[in-house]
Amino acid sequence: MTKDKKERGGAAVTASPAPASSTGTTPLLGKGLDIGTANIAAAAQTPDGGVEVTAERNAFLDIKADVYSKNMLTKLKVPYVVHNGNLVVIGQAAFELANIFSRETRRPMCDGMISPSDIEALPMIKLIISKVLGEPAAPNENCYFSVPAESIDADNNVVYHQGLFEGLLRKAGYNAKPINEAHAVVFAELADSDFTGIALSFGGGMVNACIAYKTIPALTFSVARGGDWIDKNVAQVLGVKSSKAAHFKEQGVDIRSPKTREEEAISIYYRNLIHYIMENLAVRFENGQDMPMFPDPIDIVCSGGTSLVGGFTEVFQDEFAKLNFPIPIRKIFRAEEALNSVAKGCLVAAAIGE
Amino acid sequence: MEPKIDVLASIEAKSRQTSIDDLAKRGKKRVRVIRAKDIALMVEEAIERAVASSDWVPPEQVEELKREAAEEFASVKKESAEEAKLARERDEEIARLREEIEALQLGELETTEKLESAQQSVDTTAEFERELAEARSLAEERHAEIEALRQAMGEQGAELTAVRRRHEELCGELGTAQSQVSELENLIATEAVSPGGEAPADAAPASAMEEDLAAIVGSLDDRLDKLGRKMGVTSAVESDIDYSTLVNSTMAEDEPDLESNMDAVDIEKREGAGIEANLARMKKLRGD
C-alpha cells in the first residue's frame, strides 16, 4: 500500500513553489484534493509529467502537554499542535499512538461528512489540509475537492459539508470547486473506456458510487458504510477498540481465506459491505427511469483505502456473481493506485477546468 | 355366706397379681395357694370368737351389731361407689368441655386468619383493579398516539416514495439529456475538425445536417426546459450560496497561530502515473 511512498521534508509543502511545465515557463496549475473520512490527499502534477500525491491520516489525538512530551515528539518528528493547553498529535502518528496506548483517535469527519459534534476538530482538519495541499501556485488556482453524494441510508447535510470546505479553500487562496467523489474516480480510472462505466470509492466513512456515460454522471449516491463500519462491527464482535480492529485489517488480511477469528470477522463484514453496495446499485439502476442504455458491456472500477485488503477483487466478483445485475459488465478491477484515485480525478477536473 | 365386713375386698386391695413366669424368674418353683374366700371365712370366724370371748358386748346383741355394721358398711360402700361414679362422670364432662373449648379456640384462630387473609385479598384486588384501570387508560393513550404516528408515517412514507420516484425520474431524464448533449457536442466537434470544410464522402448534404442539428438542438432545448420546470428551477438564474459567514463563524478570522512543529515534520508523498492521457481523452470527447 505504501510501495510508492516517498518521504520528503515538510518545509517545501507549506511554501510550495509553482511547479514548472516541461518547457520551464508555464506553471502546471490545478490541484486535486480528496477529503476523506480516513485520509486527506492532495494531488498535483510534477514537471516530469507525473503526479505527486501528498497524504495524511485524518485523525488526531490529544495528550497531556508538558515539556518532556513536547521535546520527545519534536525529536521523534511527530507532528503536533498546542491547542487549548493540550498537545494534539496529528495524522498517522496519532493513529499509531492511539494503538500503543489503547485509546481511540479523534476524527474530524464521520461517515464522510465533517463531524458536527467535534467543533475543536475544525482547526485540526484545517492544519492537515494546509499541510497536504500547500499554498496555491498562483492566485486563485483551481482546486477541485471531493464531496460525497447524498446517502441513501443516512441523513447527512452535503450542502453544509461542501460549503465549509469551499469557504476554507477560498480563504486559502484557491478557486475551490466541488466534485462528486466517485465521479472523480471515473475521471482518474476510466479514461480507456471514454469515462463510461461504474466507479466505486470504498472510503473510510462511506462508499460512493457513480454510473457515468462519457464523463457525464447518470447516477450518483453513497451509503454510510465503509472501512469504519467494518472496524466498528469487527470491534464489537471481538470485544476490542475500533482502532485495534483497524490495525488488524491493515496487517495484510486476505478476505478470501481468513485464517483467524479476527480475519473471519473482517471477511464477513467485507462481503456484507460489497453485497450491500452492489444490491443497492442494482435496485437504483432498475428503478431509475431513462438510465443510459449502454451499447457495450461496461467496467466496474473500485478504489479507496478500504479496497486495498487482500482478495478484495475476487470477493467482489464472488458477491457480484450472486446478483442479477441489470447492466452487462465486462470487467471488475481495482484501481492501480487505489489510494490516489480520488485525488487524481479531482486533479484531472482541476486541470481541465470548467 | 355373705361376709359381714368386706374381707375379700381388703385382700384384693392389699394383694397383687403375678404370673407363673414371673415367679419362676424369681426362683419360685413351687408355691402354696389358698382361696380368698377361705381367708375371709377364717377372719370372720376369728373375729366372732374374739368378740364372744371378750364380754364387751352381750351375746344377744352380737348378731344385731354385726347386722347393723354390715348394713352401714354396705351403705357407705354404695355411697362411695356413687360418688366415684359421679366424679368419673364430672371428669369426663370436664375433659369433653375442654376438648370443645380447644376446638372452638382453634376454629376461632383459623377463622381470624381466614378473615385477615380475605381482607388482604380484598385490599390487593382493589389495588390491582386500580392499577389495571390506570394501565388500561395509559395503554389506550399510547395506542392512540401510535395510531396517530402510524397514520402520519404512512402519509409521509407515501409522500417520500412519490418524491423519490419523482427524483429518480428527473435524474433519469437529466442523464438522457446530458448524454444527448454529449453526443451533440461530439457531432459538432467532428464537424468542426473536418479538413478544409469538405464533407465526408458518405455524409449528408450540409443543409440536411444543419436541419438535423437544429432539430436535435430544438428537441434538447424542449427537454431541458421541461426538465427544468419539473425541477422547479425553470430558466431562473441561480445565485451562489455565500458560505463565507458560515466559515468565518466556525473559524474566527483572527484565530491566533497555533504552536506547532508541522513545518518541520515529514509527510507521506506518493508518486503516481501522469494524467496526460486522461486529459487528452477528455479534451477529445469535449471537442477541444
Side-chain angles (χ1 to χ4, degrees):
Chain A
M1 136 176 181
T2 55
K3 64 183 178 183
D4 53 356
K5 179 176 169 182
K6 179 183 168 189
E7 299 285 332
R8 262 202 303 190
V13 174
T14 50
S16 54
S21 69
S22 52
T23 60
T25 53
T26 311
L28 295 168
L29 294 178
K31 283 181 182 169
L33 180 65
D34 171 11
I35 304 173
T37 309
N39 293 286
I40 292 179
Q45 294 186 81
T46 57
D48 60 359
V51 167
E52 186 176 74
V53 177
T54 316
E56 184 59 280
R57 198 176 271 265
N58 194 2
F60 64 97
L61 182 75
D62 44 2
I63 59 177
K64 191 181 168 189
D66 55 50
V67 176
Y68 174 79
S69 300
K70 199 187 292 184
N71 289 340
M72 187 55 75
L73 293 178
T74 305
K75 275 185 187 173
L76 293 172
K77 291 194 171 182
V78 171
Y80 70 82
V81 175
V82 181
H83 186 249
N84 288 342
N86 280 335
L87 271 177
V88 182
V89 178
I90 307 275
Q92 177 65 24
F95 183 74
E96 286 162 3
L97 276 178
N99 272 331
I100 292 167
F101 294 118
S102 194
R103 286 180 58 191
E104 291 285 7
T105 52
R106 286 170 70 180
R107 309 281 293 275
M109 285 170 60
C110 176
D111 294 341
M113 302 284 170
I114 190 76
S115 177
S117 60
D118 200 347
I119 294 295
E120 281 193 346
L122 283 170
M124 304 309 145
I125 201 169
K126 187 181 168 190
L127 274 169
I128 295 171
I129 287 175
S130 164
K131 178 79 175 170
V132 299
L133 193 61
E135 291 175 358
N140 220 27
E141 182 184 12
N142 270 352
C143 177
Y144 273 64
F145 64 98
S146 66
V147 291
E150 294 281 353
S151 289
I152 58 170
D153 55 359
D155 187 15
N156 44 25
N157 190 343
V158 178
V159 175
Y160 170 70
H161 173 88
Q162 180 180 311
L164 190 69
F165 285 106
E166 200 168 348
L168 193 148
L169 291 169
R170 279 181 182 166
K171 272 181 73 178
Y174 286 97
N175 176 30
K177 297 281 182 187
I179 179 172
N180 174 268
E181 182 177 323
H183 193 198
V185 176
V186 171
F187 282 5
E189 306 296 338
L190 294 178
D192 290 345
S193 47
D194 277 348
F195 306 99
T196 297
I198 298 174
L200 299 171
S201 174
F202 286 82
M206 48 173 41
V207 178
N208 272 269
C210 175
I211 300 179
Y213 178 72
K214 291 186 186 297
T215 74
I216 299 161
L219 173 67
T220 58
F221 71 93
S222 69
V223 295
R225 293 182 185 182
D228 291 344
W229 178 83
I230 293 173
D231 296 345
K232 190 179 80 176
N233 283 283
V234 168
Q236 277 178 355
V237 296
L238 299 180
V240 297
K241 289 192 178 295
S242 288
S243 54
K244 192 75 178 173
H247 185 68
F248 290 143
K249 197 179 68 184
E250 294 175 10
Q251 292 302 304
V253 179
D254 190 327
I255 56 174
R256 277 171 303 183
S257 52
K259 293 178 179 61
T260 62
R261 188 165 167 264
E262 289 83 4
E263 292 183 4
E264 191 70 60
I266 291 166
S267 176
I268 286 167
Y269 285 107
Y270 256 104
R271 281 184 181 276
N272 184 273
L273 176 64
I274 291 166
H275 194 88
Y276 181 68
I277 185 73
M278 290 312 291
E279 198 167 27
N280 276 291
L281 190 58
V283 167
R284 290 186 71 80
F285 193 88
E286 281 173 338
N287 291 346
Q289 289 182 358
D290 297 330
M291 281 289 169
M293 296 295 293
F294 297 103
D296 301 310
I298 59 172
D299 294 344
I300 296 178
V301 59
C302 302
S303 70
T306 302
S307 72
L308 288 172
V309 72
F312 180 87
T313 309
E314 291 78 6
V315 168
F316 192 108
Q317 286 164 345
D318 284 352
E319 293 300 316
F320 180 79
K322 295 175 187 172
L323 293 167
N324 184 20
F325 204 69
I327 318 170
I329 299 300
R330 184 180 61 177
K331 186 172 66 170
I332 296 169
F333 66 101
R334 185 171 63 197
E336 284 285 324
E337 300 170 34
L339 277 177
N340 297 351
S341 290
V342 175
K344 277 179 71 177
C346 292
L347 177 61
V348 170
I352 208 82
E354 294 294 339
Chain B
M1 174 182 170
E2 190 71 25
K4 305 296 184 291
I5 56 173
D6 198 350
V7 176
L8 278 174
S10 298
I11 290 168
E12 279 179 8
K14 292 184 178 177
S15 65
R16 65 179 180 87
Q17 286 189 337
T18 185
S19 67
I20 295 166
D21 290 340
D22 193 33
L23 290 170
K25 280 180 189 170
R26 289 194 291 171
K28 306 288 183 187
K29 293 179 181 174
R30 293 177 70 84
V31 292
R32 283 180 184 276
V33 294
I34 184 168
R35 290 187 300 179
K37 241 179 180 177
D38 291 339
I39 294 169
L41 193 60
M42 286 163 62
V43 170
E44 280 174 11
E45 282 176 355
I47 291 168
E48 281 174 11
R49 276 197 299 271
V51 170
S53 62
S54 68
D55 297 333
W56 292 342
V57 179
E60 61 273 17
Q61 290 182 7
V62 170
E63 284 303 320
E64 180 66 20
L65 192 62
K66 280 167 64 179
R67 190 186 52 78
E68 285 175 3
E71 283 176 357
E72 190 177 349
F73 182 78
S75 171
V76 169
K77 186 182 172 186
K78 189 180 177 185
E79 283 174 7
S80 174
E82 284 173 355
E83 281 175 4
K85 188 183 174 188
L86 282 172
R88 274 199 308 278
E89 286 173 356
R90 275 199 303 275
D91 288 345
E92 284 171 5
E93 182 66 14
I94 288 165
R96 191 180 59 76
L97 288 170
R98 275 185 182 149
E99 281 177 3
E100 278 185 11
I101 289 165
E102 284 175 2
L104 286 170
Q105 283 175 339
L106 192 64
E108 186 189 0
L109 190 64
E110 283 176 358
T111 307
T112 309
E113 284 175 355
K114 279 180 185 169
L115 272 172
E116 285 173 355
S117 173
Q119 186 60 46
Q120 268 184 339
S121 298
V122 168
D123 293 346
T124 309
T125 307
E127 180 70 17
F128 178 70
E129 279 176 353
R130 193 164 56 251
E131 285 176 3
L132 188 63
E134 285 173 5
R136 271 188 187 142
S137 168
L138 196 62
E140 280 168 7
E141 283 174 18
R142 292 283 178 274
H143 183 69
E145 284 174 12
I146 288 167
E147 281 303 315
L149 281 171
R150 268 188 190 147
Q151 195 177 350
M153 278 175 69
E155 288 167 4
Q156 286 176 356
E159 200 176 324
L160 185 63
T161 306
V163 169
R164 274 190 180 145
R165 197 177 299 124
R166 194 79 179 141
H167 174 70
E168 281 165 0
E169 284 172 13
L170 292 173
C171 284
E173 287 185 19
L174 182 62
T176 308
Q178 284 171 329
S179 301
Q180 288 179 353
V181 167
S182 176
E183 283 173 8
L184 181 61
E185 283 175 349
N186 288 342
L187 193 58
I188 291 167
T190 310
E191 285 301 306
V193 297
S194 293
E198 290 176 10
D202 56 348
S207 58
M209 178 66 76
E210 282 172 5
E211 282 173 14
D212 288 348
L213 284 173
I216 292 170
V217 169
S219 166
L220 275 173
D221 283 345
D222 289 346
R223 287 187 73 89
L224 286 170
D225 193 42
K226 190 179 167 190
L227 182 63
R229 280 200 302 275
K230 281 181 181 176
M231 295 176 78
V233 293
T234 65
S235 55
V237 178
E238 279 289 340
S239 58
D240 288 339
I241 301 171
D242 183 6
Y243 294 106
S244 59
T245 51
L246 182 66
V247 175
N248 289 344
S249 65
T250 312
M251 296 183 196
E253 287 280 1
D254 56 351
E255 185 178 286
D257 285 341
L258 301 171
E259 182 189 344
S260 166
N261 68 344
M262 294 282 278
D263 291 347
V265 174
D266 294 343
I267 193 164
E268 181 186 340
K269 286 184 186 294
R270 302 187 289 257
E271 285 181 349
I275 57 169
E276 280 87 353
N278 302 53
L279 292 173
R281 179 82 72 156
M282 195 169 281
K283 283 176 181 170
K284 187 181 170 190
L285 273 176
R286 284 163 52 126
D288 290 352

